[in-house]
Amino acid sequence: MAHKAANCIWYDHGAEEAAQFYAATFPDSSMGAVHRAPGDFPGGQEGQALTVEFTVCGIPCLGLNGGPAFTPSEAFSFQVYTEDQEETDRLWNAIVGNGGQESACGWCKDKWGISWQITPRMLTDAIANPDKAAAKRAFDAMMQMQKIDIAAIEAAVAG
């Protein structure tokens, strides 16, 4: 990994599978080196993946198979900006349909417990609308959603 810094993400196990999924699902994403244990260790065996280098949407990451001592929370999430409903649906459905869970306001979790915000760019623009009433309508509409529905946000902005 030639980067100066990377996000280190703790997995119970499954960092290699997660990296493969991310590389296949998200744009500008890839899997890098897998570093395997040179010997047995508490909770693991020689040859198991210890760390996995990967990139998600251009962000360098290191997946660490650290066991159950720590679990992911919404305190860390990937926010992925989408251009249209097709891309929003594709990414949301890939995460949720691969053992993940739906949450609120464009948030979901993958099957490894990592949180994702699948955020249409127009939603960000709608909530930042200089027309405060339109921005509030967009925000109120978003608060009722799980996956973001762009047409419904556009309708809320229009009034």
Side-chain angles (χ1 to χ4, degrees), residues 17-30 55-57 80 87-96 98 110 112 116 118:
E17 181 188 4
Q20 291 168 345
F21 173 75
Y22 304 153
T25 303
F26 296 95
D28 193 20
S29 301
S30 61
T55 301
V56 174
C57 299
V80 180
E87 184 181 22
T88 301
D89 292 349
R90 183 183 70 77
L91 296 178
W92 179 277
N93 294 340
I95 293 167
V96 172
N98 188 44
D110 66 28
W112 302 277
W116 297 83
I118 307 303

Side-chain angles (χ1 to χ4, degrees), residues 12-145:
D12 178 352
H13 61 282
E16 187 172 6
E17 181 188 4
Q20 291 168 345
F21 173 75
Y22 304 153
T25 303
F26 296 95
D28 193 20
S29 301
S30 61
M31 184 157 161
V34 177
H35 304 280
R36 300 191 180 282
D40 291 349
F41 60 98
Q45 298 177 333
E46 179 180 343
Q48 287 183 322
L50 287 177
T51 62
V52 180
E53 296 174 12
F54 60 95
T55 301
V56 174
C57 299
I59 301 168
C61 300
L62 180 72
L64 169 67
N65 283 326
F70 300 107
T71 56
S73 80
E74 289 80 359
F76 171 86
S77 65
F78 284 102
Q79 186 164 17
V80 180
Y81 298 104
T82 58
E83 302 304 326
D84 55 30
Q85 193 67 53
E86 181 182 352
E87 184 181 22
T88 301
D89 292 349
R90 183 183 70 77
L91 296 178
W92 179 277
N93 294 340
I95 293 167
V96 172
N98 188 44
Q101 304 176 290
E102 294 186 8
S103 190
C105 305
W107 289 63
C108 57
K109 281 187 186 177
D110 66 28
K111 74 179 193 177
W112 302 277
I114 305 302
S115 291
W116 297 83
Q117 298 178 61
I118 307 303
T119 308
R121 289 189 189 278
M122 69 73 51
L123 173 63
T124 305
D125 294 343
I127 291 173
N129 192 318
D131 176 342
K132 299 288 187 213
K136 183 175 183 337
R137 290 191 304 270
F139 181 79
D140 290 346
M142 176 202 66
M143 293 299 291
Q144 304 303 311
M145 297 177 184

